[in-house]
Amino acid sequence: KIRGTMLACPLVPTSILNLKKLDVTKYGYREYPNDFKTDVFFSGENTSQTRYDVVNSLINSRISFEGGLQDSKKGIVENKEVLYQRLSYKKYLQKARKSRINLALDGRGAFTFRHLELWCLCCFMISSPSIREINIPMPMVEGEHYISYSNLADLEEKICYFLKRPEKRKAVAEAGRKIFEKYYNVKKHGQYIKKCMQKADSEPKL
């Protein structure tokens, strides 16, 4: 498995000046939303085939989906219906909180800012299956702290399943927020990287 690392969560302002006193619990939301306007939401740049395939599939499905892709240097999209306005960061966060299901899709990697943001926001998340192929830098467990899927048909099936089960969405979102609070820590992440490097050094070279 690839040993994943991560960038800083945009919702938690981190600097060398506040590392010792940084309190993650003060940022984002600790409680699950109770007022929704959207069933399924995703908005992001067109940086991966996964994003295009998922958005293209959902806008042509029976599922109520809001969002889409913004142009990027990646290339021209085949179906212009997948394109969506670029949101301000504040508007994006508001829409995420107002959505029953948020998607965390591959971007320039399997583990993205989106995963960290949605855990920090205490939102229910369905992630791309590629997350199964890496060691997440925090002990997140599929089915407990997030949901994943195997293919587009499975994604639609899971979306329909969880839309009908608000109590399950709430439980997953709250569990994700709690473990984010416990393990999102710059010092712990540094220790994680050091441990990965030491393990790699000890493994037999091919």
Side-chain angles (χ1 to χ4, degrees):
K1 276 193 174 184
I2 296 173
R3 297 176 177 88
T5 185
M6 63 182 176
L7 299 175
C9 176
L11 291 170
V12 182
T14 307
S15 75
I16 194 170
L17 300 176
N18 70 354
L19 288 182
K20 292 183 179 180
K21 59 181 180 180
L22 185 64
D23 184 358
V24 175
T25 65
K26 294 181 178 180
Y27 301 98
Y29 294 86
R30 306 191 75 185
E31 297 181 354
Y32 185 65
N34 56 18
D35 179 30
F36 299 101
K37 292 184 178 180
T38 303
D39 280 348
V40 184
F41 174 67
F42 176 82
S43 176
E45 289 193 0
N46 181 34
T47 53
S48 73
Q49 188 65 42
T50 296
R51 289 186 173 189
Y52 178 83
D53 291 343
V54 168
V55 172
N56 189 51
S57 175
L58 291 179
I59 63 175
N60 291 295
S61 73
R62 58 197 170 102
I63 292 168
S64 176
F65 169 75
E66 180 178 354
L69 306 176
Q70 292 85 52
D71 283 323
S72 73
K73 296 179 181 178
K74 194 76 174 177
I76 300 172
V77 297
E78 296 178 13
N79 181 6
K80 296 296 184 182
E81 290 183 19
V82 305
L83 297 179
Y84 183 70
Q85 63 182 312
R86 188 178 297 277
L87 301 173
S88 68
Y89 193 55
K90 180 178 180 181
K91 191 69 175 178
Y92 154 71
L93 296 178
Q94 290 173 344
K95 286 187 174 290
R97 283 284 292 178
K98 290 290 185 179
S99 301
R100 294 176 178 85
I101 295 175
N102 282 271
L103 303 179
L105 305 175
D106 288 356
R108 294 184 175 87
F111 191 55
T112 67
F113 282 127
R114 194 69 49 98
H115 293 85
L116 297 172
E117 289 166 338
L118 295 177
W119 280 317
C120 187
L121 290 171
C122 196
C123 290
F124 176 81
M125 178 201 320
I126 297 183
S127 172
S128 298
S130 57
I131 199 170
R132 297 167 175 163
E133 305 303 319
I134 63 173
N135 289 324
I136 304 176
M138 294 183 286
M140 302 295 184
V141 178
E142 181 179 345
E144 182 177 351
H145 306 110
Y146 68 94
I147 305 300
S148 190
Y149 62 94
S150 298
N151 50 50
L152 293 177
D154 186 44
L155 172 60
E156 290 192 23
E157 184 176 327
K158 285 180 176 173
I159 286 173
C160 293
Y161 175 87
F162 283 103
L163 283 176
K164 297 175 182 178
R165 292 165 175 81
E167 73 289 345
K168 290 185 180 293
R169 297 199 311 268
K170 183 174 185 290
V172 171
E174 290 180 343
R177 169 67 196 198
K178 287 178 181 177
I179 202 168
F180 176 82
E181 288 182 1
K182 183 175 181 180
Y183 286 98
Y184 182 80
N185 180 288
V186 175
K187 183 177 180 180
K188 287 181 179 179
H189 186 53
Q191 293 170 341
Y192 162 82
I193 293 174
K194 182 179 179 181
K195 183 178 180 181
C196 287
M197 293 174 66
Q198 290 173 335
K199 184 176 181 181
D201 286 341
S202 66
E203 291 175 347
K205 302 297 187 294
L206 298 178

